[in-house]
Amino acid sequence: MTVYLDHNATAPVRPEAASAVMAALEAGGNPSSVHQSGRAARARVEQARSVIAKSICARVEDLVFTSGGTEAINLAIHAATALGAERIIHSAIEHDAVRAAAAASGLAVEEWPVTTDGRANMNWLEGRLERAGAASEAPILFALTAASNETGVLQPVADAGRMIRDAGHLFLVDAVQMTGKAPFDFAESGAQFASLSAHKAGGPQGVGALAVACDAQVGALISGGGQEKGRRGGTENVAGICGFAAAVAAVGPSESGRIAALRERLEHRLKAGAPEIVIWGEGAKRLPNTICLSAPGWPSEIQVIAMDLAGFAVSAGSACSSGKVRKSHVLQAMGASDAHAGSALRISLGWTTKEADIDAFAETWLNEYHRARPLAAAAV
Ligand code: PLP
């Protein structure tokens, strides 16, 4: 059986989420219908909205359900454009969901650099806000991931949010990787928009949400029957929404501590057996579940295949929808050399991970690494 250590790509569905999905499917009903079955479906959606909103300290009316994190990000950019934004400045370590949506938006796009530990550069932000103030530019949409999907490095969203808001600009926090893994406080972030996704928390794929601060108006990106208070047309994915809330509610208070201890154990073992590896963002605060390492001399794709054959699911520095492995723009933005960026591996733990999985992974990875390294060196 495969040991699944790729929770940042998608987490296995929690039993609580699967049961909630099944219960909602069996109950049926369109939340817009006025009859009893419709009203019951509406009640399930609103109950789920309340659970998810509470989990991120948002108001229930702030939450717009979408088909996932990507749509939530696109909706935020659409809303910012309607609010007059002509420019988007996103960090250099954003997920492609932000980078591609920004590039397609028609807005001017700029990159916000990061420091070598993978955190958004706050001095740069300060200088950029000053320049924007002097030029009295139209509102700028700043976008920053709350936690990098590749390195797990947590970003200074609350500090950035305060500075961006004080300067009268707009802020989108991509909180997709926080969902179910680490606390995210929408109110404290100062953001007008935050994207969430159910499948990173052990909920179903294809459902997510955009949190919208009450002072930011949102017109629909997908027009239709006026659902979600006119902010997202289309019959709600009731079963998915119920599964999303059940996944969020199933995260126990001790879960992140347990996972952090497993991550510590794994890092310790890997570094003891291969002291030359680099762990990205090691000195920074990170999600408790993520390790991104580079093992120069052992290309990422070969590592992924070797580990897959040995029964472990992990991913190269960056999971790509096409299945192709590109050198990670995140690691490059952190100053990684080609040798480091080309030998990066992401191991992401989660609610299914056990100590025995970690020990087996460490032993197998170290054996394969010591076997592959002399061959890789000889081939150069
Ligand atoms: N943002 C980040 C940081 C992600 O890791 C992902 C998915 O991998 C997304 C956005 C996109 O979310 P979704 O898959 O729900 O569209």
Side-chain angles (χ1 to χ4, degrees):
M1 238 187 50
T2 300
V3 172
Y4 188 82
L5 296 172
D6 202 11
H7 282 246
N8 286 11
T10 197
V13 173
R14 293 177 193 259
E16 297 87 341
S19 305
V21 167
M22 273 317 291
L25 287 174
E26 278 163 10
N30 183 328
S32 299
S33 300
V34 291
H35 49 62
Q36 212 181 332
S37 135
R39 292 200 308 277
R42 166 63 51 209
R44 279 192 291 279
V45 168
E46 296 316 318
Q47 169 60 20
R49 198 187 309 273
S50 147
V51 168
I52 298 162
K54 205 165 151 209
S55 76
I56 59 161
C57 303
R59 306 175 327 153
V60 279
E61 55 272 43
D62 292 344
L63 223 63
V64 183
F65 286 117
T66 63
S67 66
T70 303
E71 185 191 323
I73 289 160
N74 278 270
L75 179 56
I77 295 176
H78 174 77
T81 309
L83 289 167
E86 294 170 1
R87 177 178 297 273
I88 174 165
I89 300 183
H90 63 70
S91 87
I93 56 161
E94 292 307 297
H95 187 273
D96 277 350
V98 170
R99 285 152 49 96
S105 67
L107 303 182
V109 182
E110 236 180 274
E111 245 180 37
W112 173 0
V114 297
T115 56
T116 47
D117 66 358
R119 280 165 58 92
N121 186 326
M122 299 300 278
N123 291 335
W124 185 91
L125 176 65
E126 200 178 345
R128 187 63 186 85
L129 288 170
E130 269 169 27
R131 270 201 289 138
S136 64
E137 282 187 44
I140 298 172
L141 175 63
F142 287 85
L144 179 60
T145 187
S148 162
N149 54 301
E150 292 190 32
T151 62
V153 172
L154 296 170
Q155 300 298 316
V157 285
D159 289 343
R162 201 171 339 96
M163 289 162 68
I164 292 166
R165 254 198 196 240
D166 286 353
H169 297 287
L170 300 165
F171 189 30
L172 160 64
V173 174
D174 179 10
V176 161
Q177 286 293 343
M178 303 298 269
T179 327
K181 292 187 191 141
F184 171 66
D185 187 326
F186 179 56
E188 199 203 5
S189 74
Q192 279 85 357
F193 310 103
S195 46
L196 303 172
S197 179
H199 71 105
K200 308 295 182 181
Q205 295 168 343
V207 59
L210 182 69
V212 181
C214 48
D215 55 349
Q217 297 302 309
V218 171
L221 176 64
I222 297 176
S223 303
Q227 289 89 348
E228 297 294 281
K229 299 207 171 78
R231 299 177 293 186
R232 204 274 186 180
T235 301
E236 295 87 341
N237 173 1
V238 181
I241 289 167
C242 292
F244 184 1
V248 166
V251 180
S254 57
E255 189 170 292
S256 75
R258 185 187 75 82
I259 292 170
L262 291 177
R263 199 261 309 264
E264 279 293 297
R265 183 181 177 95
L266 179 54
E267 278 188 5
H268 181 76
R269 296 209 160 188
L270 294 176
K271 281 196 302 191
E276 62 282 9
I277 63 171
V278 171
I279 295 185
W280 295 99
E282 191 175 8
K285 283 200 180 125
R286 282 177 291 157
L287 284 175
N289 76 320
T290 310
I291 300 180
C292 181
L293 61 82
S294 283
W298 196 17
S300 304
E301 49 277 41
I302 312 247
Q303 290 189 59
V304 171
I305 293 166
M307 295 315 293
D308 189 32
L309 290 173
F312 299 91
V314 288
S315 102
S318 176
C320 302
S321 50
S322 60
K324 271 190 258 145
V325 179
R326 277 183 274 129
K327 276 198 189 115
S328 154
H329 66 275
V330 172
L331 301 186
Q332 284 173 327
M334 291 168 72
S337 65
D338 279 356
H340 280 113
S343 62
L345 190 73
R346 180 185 69 188
I347 307 143
S348 51
L349 286 47
W351 69 272
T352 54
T353 312
K354 298 187 226 33
E355 198 172 278
D357 299 334
I358 292 304
D359 293 348
F361 177 85
E363 192 186 334
T364 309
W365 187 88
L366 285 167
N367 284 342
E368 295 285 338
Y369 172 64
H370 289 302
R371 209 144 54 100
R373 261 196 12 136
L375 296 177
V380 176

